[in-house]
Amino acid sequence: MIELTTPRAAELDDLTLKELMEAGAELDTCTRALTKGGINVVGELLRGQGTFYEMDHYPEGDVYDADHHAQYYYHAHRDDADEHGHFHTFLRGSALPDNMIPETGFQETQPWPRGEDVVAHLVAISMDVWGKPIGLFATNRWVTDETWFSAEDVIRQIERFQVDHAWPSWAVNLWLSALIRLYRPHIEQLLRHRDAVIARRHLETPDTDVLEDRSLEITGQLAITPDQWQEALAREWRNRHLSTADTPSRQQSHVSH
């Protein structure tokens, strides 16, 4: 079993701490706006979408930002009592640099998206029945039908994920974009662990296409609690800088849109 550890605030440099706290402040703003309206992220996303069916993508046709080439959808299919459903997040086509080359050395028994259709999966986000994020997980290639890039290549593109328009919901799009930024260290950890799991399985079964192995769906997952993570970030900042006046707290931080 390959170990997967949860990132710690103490491991982050000052610049990263500040960026994550700013993302957390934006996440709080979106959450507060939704809560004041008596709704949550999942309820807002599914509003007007009709009956919720397992495996279907919500909203229909997915959400895509043509300027930033970021995409996401929400659906449900896992036998997890704590999970209502989950988001899948992607970067497509022009968001990825020309020198970002798909991995080689795999059998590729199923065609991968190529050319303008290339797509990289960032992370999946588990949501509970109350519309709160409870976990992040990484998946094998067959789950998302993505182009398989190395973890390090995908990690360098995480900051590009942004959905900056009002359909199906301005607040949900900003919330999701902020959550990806807030949990960047966790996503990095999951992607590196994903590659290690795939490499181990490939070594053990060299004659199979490990990326199409239906027995390997989720390569790793981490539980998340945004409030606790944000408090850990702020506490680490205070410990380093002593003066709370220098702390970009959740109340004081402001992120321009």
Side-chain angles (χ1 to χ4, degrees):
M1 183 175 181
I2 300 174
E3 184 180 9
L4 174 59
T5 58
T6 301
R8 298 171 56 248
E11 300 167 341
L12 308 175
D13 59 41
D14 276 8
L15 178 58
T16 300
L17 276 174
K18 187 175 181 180
E19 290 174 345
L20 299 190
M21 285 188 287
E22 288 175 346
E26 182 162 351
L27 187 80
D28 286 347
T29 297
C30 298
T31 301
R32 184 169 58 252
L34 289 166
T35 301
K36 289 175 71 174
I39 50 181
N40 60 53
V41 171
V42 173
E44 172 70 355
L45 183 70
L46 297 180
R47 183 161 54 92
Q49 294 293 315
T51 304
F52 184 69
Y53 293 103
E54 284 194 355
M55 297 304 297
D56 284 1
H57 289 198
Y58 294 90
E60 185 178 359
D62 299 3
V63 179
Y64 181 66
D65 185 313
D67 291 329
H68 299 96
H69 305 282
Q71 178 181 348
Y72 75 84
Y73 63 82
Y74 185 82
H75 73 166
H77 62 81
R78 298 174 66 198
D79 294 326
D80 185 335
D82 296 325
E83 184 188 276
H84 173 270
H86 52 267
F87 290 94
H88 281 291
T89 59
F90 305 86
L91 287 170
R92 304 192 67 95
S94 298
L96 307 176
D98 292 338
N99 62 355
M100 187 167 161
I101 307 300
E103 286 284 85
T104 59
F106 297 101
Q107 292 189 24
E108 199 173 342
T109 57
Q110 297 295 321
W112 302 355
R114 301 281 185 172
E116 295 181 356
D117 295 325
V118 296
V119 55
H121 183 250
L122 298 183
V123 73
I125 304 162
S126 295
M127 306 293 290
D128 68 12
V129 295
W130 307 106
K132 295 181 179 180
I134 56 173
L136 305 172
F137 62 93
T139 65
N140 200 353
R141 194 214 77 86
W142 66 266
V143 178
T144 55
D145 193 27
E146 64 188 287
T147 311
W148 195 254
F149 295 103
S150 73
E152 297 306 322
D153 276 349
V154 178
I155 285 168
R156 283 190 285 270
Q157 310 309 318
I158 292 174
E159 65 182 19
R160 294 175 181 263
F161 185 90
Q162 183 177 356
V163 182
D164 187 27
H165 59 63
W167 185 83
S169 167
W170 179 252
V172 172
N173 292 346
L174 291 182
W175 180 91
L176 187 61
S177 300
L179 188 78
I180 293 291
R181 298 200 308 276
L182 175 62
Y183 279 102
R184 190 176 73 225
H186 297 65
I187 299 171
E188 293 175 359
Q189 196 91 320
L190 282 164
L191 287 169
R192 291 186 175 114
H193 178 263
R194 179 204 73 174
D195 276 16
V197 169
I198 292 295
R200 171 73 65 83
R201 182 66 66 92
H202 188 49
L203 184 64
E204 293 171 345
T205 57
D207 296 329
T208 66
D209 186 351
V210 63
L211 299 180
E212 303 301 325
D213 184 352
R214 265 42 181 185
S215 71
L216 179 57
E217 178 180 0
I218 296 173
T219 57
Q221 52 192 332
L222 292 171
I224 61 171
T225 308
D227 285 349
Q228 293 180 10
W229 178 232
Q230 289 173 256
E231 290 299 332
L233 296 171
R235 183 167 57 250
E236 178 62 26
W237 183 277
R238 288 194 299 270
N239 290 342
R240 293 183 191 182
H241 300 280
L242 299 179
S243 172
T244 57
D246 295 332
T247 305
S249 69
R250 294 173 62 181
Q251 290 77 24
Q252 295 169 340
S253 296
H254 174 74
V255 181
S256 60
H257 301 305

